Amino acid sequence: MFRSAAFLIVLLCTDPALAQQVRSAPRAEVCGAPQISLGMREDLAVSDTFSQVPEWRFCNDCRDTSEHDDVLQVAAAASGATILFDTGDIRLSSIGEAAPQDCQSFDLGSRQVVAVDASASTEWTLEESRSRLAAQYCAWEDADGTLCLSFVCQPDEQRWELLARGVVDGLSFDNLLEVELDLRVDGELAGYLTLSARAGLPDTYLAVYVPRLDDTLLRDLRRGERGSATVRADKQERRLGITLDGSSRALGAVLANCPDLQRLATPEIAPDRFVLLNGTSNEGAVAAARSALDERLDALFGLEGAPEPDVQRAVDVRVDRWWFIDALVGPSPELSDSNFARYLLVQPPGRDWVVFDPVERPPRIYIDRKRPIGAWPNLLLAQNRRDRTYYERWYWDGANYLYRETIPQ
């Protein structure tokens, strides 16, 4: 059975960022490379004579050499395979007779893992704040370039991020518009991502998380033993080993806590998600409010010597084809101690107005852009009390807006 050098290297180097961890591996034959001498010295830690990519072949019937302390370190570079030897003297015991094409067999059942790249992190890390959750692994980070993959939850969306800058193993990320990633876990393709540059975020490439499409990729990254990433950009391609140590913890924390982070978002941490129903009263909003409140206005008793109750002012906003109006009605002793009341009017696309009186105390009303398809937007009612802002989340129950919860400060 033949495998490419890169494939077997990923199979053997289970944790590219840890240079001291010992892992099990199958026996193998090295073909197409010069004969490997025994007793290599420290000054021969990296040999340029092995710069060409050899063919690798599994050796299923090799003689057991468990009594020998065989150590073989292998790392994959973009230009080919490089064979690295442990520092100091090393014993490499040849197994059986030399095969055609100057092949040699080695038992890789016990060997040290070598770093495939200049990884700055030994495992997946977790970033937590009120405005962001991120599970991140940096496959390459040195003075010349950086390549970090993140799965991110923010108050308004979940997405993949690729922080890529400088030169990574000869691949330049300067002025790129798009980067493609093929991610393999345990030798199998787990998923692929196409990440695009976004204005205002230099060196960062983004892809929106697609639940049913990306769920398999997340599952494999959390449960796998070893991984690799093939990076394609500007007609170039590089393959890097990635560790999955800590991936279950970091990715699991993002997935588990993302619903709460998004549910408890406020305009302070997600200004683009919420629209404040505020502004200057205009004739169109006043006319629409009068029409929607016609029966209510007719039923109100006016104050003696005052004008008939009417819509005194109305401000409006449109959010995704939904129309919202905040109308002030009065004066009438039936409304409140102040003889005035505020009404919230909501008109879904293609439907009639729905009238809602949120609370007696006049709050600031925010419309939440984030909602399931076809569902009514949630509202955020804000009030200042003792120099603190309190937010209440209200939801539509099919007939009216109802209080759901107060967002903790």
Side-chain angles (χ1 to χ4, degrees):
M1 178 187 301
F2 287 90
R3 293 287 193 274
S4 67
F7 176 84
L8 187 61
I9 287 164
V10 171
L11 183 65
L12 300 180
C13 296
T14 57
D15 191 343
L18 299 177
Q20 300 301 321
Q21 188 167 353
V22 176
R23 298 283 179 88
S24 61
R27 289 188 291 257
E29 287 187 343
V30 184
C31 303
Q35 293 290 304
I36 300 175
S37 302
L38 302 182
M40 297 291 288
R41 301 185 309 278
E42 183 176 357
D43 59 343
L44 297 177
V46 179
S47 176
D48 292 334
T49 61
F50 302 120
S51 62
Q52 298 301 316
V53 180
E55 287 291 332
W56 288 77
R57 180 153 52 92
F58 285 118
C59 182
N60 296 319
D61 57 352
C62 299
R63 179 171 56 86
D64 182 20
T65 59
S66 57
E67 67 275 11
H68 298 289
D69 184 19
D70 299 339
V71 179
L72 180 62
Q73 297 179 336
V74 181
S79 60
T82 304
I83 299 180
L84 307 177
F85 295 96
D86 195 11
T87 56
D89 291 341
I90 181 174
R91 292 178 299 173
L92 284 176
S93 298
S94 181
I95 304 173
E97 299 295 329
Q101 302 178 359
D102 294 329
C103 296
Q104 282 183 283
S105 300
F106 299 97
D107 187 343
L108 307 182
S110 174
R111 90 279 184 263
Q112 288 181 313
V113 179
V114 67
V116 170
D117 50 51
S119 173
S121 174
T122 59
E123 63 178 11
W124 285 72
T125 57
L126 177 65
E127 172 193 341
E128 296 180 274
S129 71
R130 288 193 63 203
S131 60
R132 178 182 167 95
L133 289 169
Q136 176 177 271
Y137 174 68
C138 292
W140 190 286
E141 189 168 20
D142 59 17
D144 297 323
T146 298
L147 186 68
C148 298
L149 177 65
S150 302
F151 178 66
V152 178
C153 170
Q154 293 183 309
D156 53 348
E157 67 176 354
Q158 289 175 272
R159 69 190 189 195
W160 295 93
E161 289 184 0
L162 188 71
L163 175 61
R165 63 167 169 256
V167 179
V168 174
D169 196 22
L171 176 62
S172 175
F173 288 98
D174 292 337
N175 302 318
L176 290 180
L177 298 178
E178 190 175 89
V179 178
E180 294 181 349
L181 283 183
D182 287 355
L183 294 169
R184 290 183 174 272
V185 177
D186 296 334
E188 299 293 334
L189 181 65
Y192 55 88
L193 299 171
T194 299
L195 303 108
S196 302
R198 181 179 293 182
L201 294 174
D203 307 318
T204 303
Y205 301 84
L206 310 176
V208 175
Y209 166 68
V210 182
R212 275 174 287 193
L213 184 62
D214 291 352
D215 284 345
T216 300
L217 173 57
L218 285 171
R219 181 199 65 202
D220 291 347
L221 288 175
R222 292 178 64 185
R223 298 180 182 177
E225 296 293 332
R226 58 187 69 85
S228 68
T230 301
V231 186
R232 298 184 183 90
D234 196 23
K235 299 181 180 180
Q236 297 185 70
E237 179 177 304
R238 296 291 185 270
R239 190 167 188 177
L240 301 173
I242 62 174
T243 181
L244 297 183
D245 285 354
S247 62
S248 180
R249 175 186 56 82
L251 291 170
V254 174
L255 291 170
N257 297 309
C258 188
D260 284 342
L261 183 146
Q262 294 186 338
R263 179 174 59 86
L264 302 177
T266 65
E268 279 78 12
I269 63 175
D272 294 336
R273 173 173 161 179
F274 297 95
V275 177
L276 176 63
L277 180 52
N278 192 22
T280 304
S281 180
N282 62 83
E283 294 182 0
V286 170
R290 281 178 180 154
S291 176
L293 297 172
D294 181 59
E295 294 183 1
R296 294 173 183 252
L297 293 173
D298 289 343
L300 292 177
F301 291 100
L303 295 173
E304 185 177 353
E308 290 295 319
D310 194 5
V311 177
Q312 302 299 320
R313 65 185 300 273
V315 298
D316 66 337
V317 296
R318 293 180 184 267
V319 180
D320 301 332
R321 296 177 57 230
W322 290 64
W323 196 3
F324 298 84
I325 295 180
D326 183 6
L328 179 67
V329 174
S332 171
E334 298 182 72
L335 293 176
S336 65
D337 293 340
S338 66
N339 299 319
F340 290 90
R342 285 172 63 194
Y343 290 88
L344 172 66
L345 287 71
V346 183
Q347 187 180 56
R351 296 177 58 182
D352 293 332
W353 286 100
V354 177
V355 181
F356 167 58
D357 182 4
V359 289
E360 292 183 1
R361 298 180 64 180
R364 297 189 304 278
I365 302 175
Y366 291 89
I367 296 95
D368 191 349
R369 291 180 180 272
K370 184 176 178 60
R371 64 179 187 274
I373 296 176
W376 283 58
N378 287 334
L379 300 179
L380 222 58
L381 307 185
Q383 292 181 341
N384 291 332
R385 304 174 192 169
R386 297 181 181 179
D387 299 327
R388 295 186 66 184
T389 300
Y390 290 83
Y391 291 98
E392 294 180 349
R393 181 172 295 282
W394 292 64
Y395 74 102
W396 183 257
D397 73 338
N400 208 340
Y401 271 105
L402 301 178
Y403 166 80
R404 170 165 283 173
E405 63 186 327
T406 298
I407 298 177
Q409 301 297 300

